[in-house]
Amino acid sequence: MTISEIAQTISDEDSSWKPKASTKLQEARSELPGHWELPVDVLEKFSMTSKDHVLDLPQMFLSPEEIEITKLQPANSLVEKIVSGEYSALQVLEAFSHRAAIATQVTNCCTELMFSYGRKRALYLDEYLKEHGKPIGPLHGLPISVKDSFKIPGYDSTLGYVSFIGNKKDITEPSPMIKLMIDLGAVPFVKTNLPQTLMTADSENNIFGRTLNPINLTLTAGGSSGGEGSLVKQRGSVFGIGTDIAGSIRIPALCNGVYGFKPTTNRIPFADQVAPADPTYLGFEPSAGPLATNWDDIELFMRHVLNSDLIKYDKTCIPYPYNGSISLPSVLKIGLITEVDYFPLHPTMVDTLEKAAGKLRKAGHEVQELRSDIVDFYKEGFKTCFGMYMIGASELKNGFDILKEEDEPLIDSLKMNPGVVPPQSIDDLYKLKASQQKVKAKATSLFDNFDIIICPGNAGAAPPHDEYGIPPFTCIWNLIDFPAAIIPFSTIDKEYDVDTSQYPPELLQPRTYPVYKENTYLGAPGHIQIVTPTFQDEKLLEIGKVIDSVLNA
C-alpha cells in the first residue's frame, strides 16, 4: 500500500484522539515551573509563519549565572568547574533546565520534561563528589538530552503516537545508551521531539506538534531527531543523542547549524528503544550518535562511549575498541563531491562546498572535485535504500498500522511519493542486496586516492516546513554503513533563481524534493558532510577536527 493510499484509510474527521493527546501534552508540561513560563505577549510573536529567530530570547529570561553556565564550551570545561566545586551539578542542571524550558515553549523541541528526574540525579552526583572527592565518570554532571525513543523509567516514549501514550507502565529499565550515560556521569533531563512514524525529515506529530527551527521559524528543524537539533542549537543541553537510519542525526544537524555524527552501525549502543514497528532490520541497521554545538563535544562523546565496556550494556555492539592512535598526514587528500547523478544540487550548496574547498586549499590540503561521471551511484543507492526500508513481514504491525488504532491523521510531510516499489519476492531481496554491494564497492573505490570525502548533506540548506522530501544525500551512507558527520559552515547569504527544467519530473512532485522556489532560506546555516569507510570512525573524528579548525576557526 502506498503512503497516499494509507492516508485515505485514516480519517481526519474523527477527532476522538484529540482529548487523549491534549491530556498527554498537559501532563508532559506539568514539570514546567510557573515562574519559567513565558509571557503570552512573547509567545504570540512566534509561530511557524514567522521568519524570526529565537536564539537571543533566553538572554531576556535567564539570570547572569545561568547564561554563563549554559554558554560555557566545550563540555570538558563544564565538567572541570563542577569537579572543582565552582559549580554544583544541581546548579548546572537548573541552568540548562531553564534554557530547555524556554526552547520548548517557542520551538516544541522537547517531549518529556524530566526536570525532577534530573534534579535527583544531580543531587546524587554532588553528594558522591563530596563523599568520595572524585567524579563518578568523565561526563560528571553534564545535562544531556535524548531522543524520545530512548527508554527512561517513569516517562513515556510515545514516538508521537497517541496509541503509545501511557507506555511508561511497560518501561522498567533504561535503554542501554541511557545506562551508559548515567555510568559515565551524565544527567539525562529531557526527551526530544520526532516525527510521526520516524519516517520523515519534519519532526511533527499529533501530541507535541511541530518542532521549529530556532534560526528561522519558517524552516524545518529536520528529522527524525529534529527536537535534538533544535534544542542543541538553542543550547538547551550540552549535547543530545539521536538515531540515524536515513539521515536522522545529520538532517537536523544541517538544518539547525550544529554538528552531528552517525557512527558505523553497532559501534555504540542502540538496542532496546521504543520503535514504531518490529525492530528487525533485513536491509541495514540504524545507528545512535551525538549532536553538539562544537566538534570537541562530538569527539568527547564518541571517545568515552567507545572506551567503555559496551558489551556490558548492549550485546549487539561489536567489540571494536577505541583507536586513539590515528596518525594523519600533514597534507590531507580530500575528494570533493559537487555533482551527483540524477539529484541536482542547489547553487547555494555548490557555493558552500567550493568555499570550503578554497579554505582547505589555502590551508595547504589537496582538494580534488569529483563530478557525476565518477559519483554515479546516488540514484541506485537511493532506490536500494528505500526498497530496503519497505522490507517487512505482512503479518507484523508497522508504523502506519499504529495510526489506525486511534484514527490519527497522517502528517503532511509523509504525503509524498518516493517513487520506489516495495520488494515483492525473494528475488527482489537478492537484487537489493546485490545493488547494495555494488554501491558500496563504487563508493569505497573513491578512497583509493583520498583520506576523506566531503559531500553535500542535502540538495541545499534547510527548506520550508514539509518540503525536505527524500534524503538521498544522507541515506546513501547508511546503505553502505560508512560513518558520516555534518559540520556547519557558512551562512546562506544570496538567492538564486533555480532552473527546474532539467529536474527529473518525478522529483517535482509536491514534497518529494526541495527546489527552493520561494526565497525563504536567506540566513539558513550552510554545511558540509564528511565521510570515511566502515569502521574508520576514529579517522573521521580526527580529520573532522582538522577540517573544522580550518573552516570555523
Side-chain angles (χ1 to χ4, degrees), residues 47 83 171 216 256 300 323 348 389 427 441 518 524 534:
S47 72
V83 174
I171 298 174
N216 179 335
N256 293 282
L300 176 80
N323 180 4
T348 57
Y389 293 147
D427 284 346
E518 299 177 5
T534 309

Side-chain angles (χ1 to χ4, degrees), residues 274-509:
V274 175
D278 179 67
T280 301
Y281 303 96
L282 297 182
F284 50 92
E285 299 180 61
S287 301
L291 296 93
T293 52
N294 61 81
W295 190 260
D296 284 346
D297 290 353
I298 295 288
E299 191 273 339
L300 176 80
F301 174 92
M302 290 298 299
R303 174 162 47 88
H304 288 303
V305 168
L306 291 175
N307 270 326
S308 302
D309 180 9
L310 295 180
I311 297 297
K312 169 185 171 184
Y313 298 92
D314 181 353
K315 303 304 181 188
T316 66
C317 281
I318 297 170
Y320 191 99
Y322 179 75
N323 180 4
S325 59
I326 298 295
S327 179
L328 298 180
S330 58
V331 175
L332 294 174
K333 294 182 178 180
I334 300 169
L336 180 72
I337 297 178
T338 57
E339 183 181 279
V340 303
D341 60 311
Y342 189 72
F343 297 109
L345 292 182
H346 191 274
T348 57
M349 186 71 252
V350 177
D351 279 358
T352 300
L353 291 167
E354 291 179 345
K355 188 186 297 183
K359 294 195 75 169
L360 289 163
R361 289 187 181 110
K362 189 175 180 179
H365 301 291
E366 297 178 9
V367 183
Q368 180 180 332
E369 291 194 26
L370 305 174
R371 300 292 183 179
S372 59
D373 58 331
I374 296 174
V375 188
D376 62 351
F377 48 77
Y378 271 78
K379 181 179 180 181
E380 181 173 1
F382 168 75
K383 290 192 174 294
T384 304
C385 274
F386 268 69
M388 288 184 166
Y389 293 147
M390 294 175 182
I391 296 172
S394 58
E395 69 272 13
L396 296 178
K397 183 185 295 184
N398 62 45
F400 295 103
D401 293 330
I402 296 168
L403 295 176
K404 298 173 188 176
E405 293 178 8
E406 295 284 346
D407 206 29
E408 286 188 64
L410 206 64
I411 59 173
D412 283 344
S413 63
L414 281 168
K415 299 172 185 175
M416 63 175 175
N417 180 13
V420 179
V421 178
Q424 304 295 313
S425 65
I426 294 295
D427 284 346
D428 287 346
L429 296 182
Y430 274 113
K431 289 175 183 177
L432 287 173
K433 292 301 291 185
S435 178
Q436 181 185 32
Q437 293 169 0
K438 177 182 175 183
V439 170
K440 186 164 189 172
K442 284 188 174 184
T444 302
S445 69
L446 296 179
F447 291 89
D448 292 343
N449 303 308
F450 301 110
D451 299 306
I452 199 164
I453 298 296
I454 292 178
C455 55
N458 186 32
H465 298 293
D466 300 329
E467 294 185 20
Y468 197 100
I470 57 177
F473 300 98
T474 47
C475 75
I476 188 77
W477 309 116
N478 296 88
L479 175 72
I480 58 179
D481 201 18
F482 281 15
I486 292 295
I487 294 178
F489 170 63
S490 190
T491 300
I492 308 307
D493 57 5
K494 48 184 173 176
E495 301 281 11
Y496 293 86
D497 291 324
V498 180
D499 178 11
T500 62
S501 63
Q502 303 303 312
Y503 277 44
E506 56 269 31
L507 293 185
L508 296 176
Q509 296 183 54

Side-chain angles (χ1 to χ4, degrees), residues 136-211:
I136 202 168
L139 306 183
H140 185 98
L142 292 182
I144 67 166
S145 50
V146 299
K147 192 173 184 176
D148 190 71
S149 53
F150 288 97
K151 295 179 181 178
I152 296 179
Y155 296 90
D156 282 347
S157 289
T158 67
L159 307 189
Y161 285 113
V162 174
S163 61
F164 279 13
I165 291 172
N167 66 1
K168 62 185 176 184
K169 68 181 184 300
D170 301 317
I171 298 174
T172 58
E173 292 287 332
S175 296
M177 176 61 80
I178 304 302
K179 291 180 182 178
L180 174 57
M181 287 293 104
I182 288 172
D183 286 351
L184 291 173
V187 183
F189 76 111
V190 290
K191 299 177 75 176
T192 53
N193 206 15
L194 34 62
Q196 182 188 77
T197 75
L198 302 182
M199 293 175 63
T200 177
D202 281 273
S203 292
E204 180 192 12
N205 58 70
N206 292 320
I207 302 173
F208 299 100
R210 182 190 298 273
T211 297

Side-chain angles (χ1 to χ4, degrees), residues 38 42 46 50-62 67 70-71 99 102-103 106-107 109 212-217 228-236 255-258 293 491 523-525:
L38 297 177
V42 171
F46 304 112
S50 168
K51 291 187 178 182
D52 292 335
H53 73 82
V54 296
L55 296 175
D56 296 333
L57 189 62
Q59 312 297 322
M60 299 170 55
F61 300 98
L62 298 180
I67 292 171
T70 54
K71 76 177 182 181
R99 194 149 193 152
I102 294 170
V106 292
T107 62
C109 52
L212 303 181
N213 189 320
I215 298 171
N216 179 335
L217 300 177
E228 283 300 335
S230 180
L231 179 68
V232 167
K233 181 63 179 180
Q234 295 171 85
R235 199 60 186 165
C255 286
N256 293 282
V258 299
T293 52
T491 300

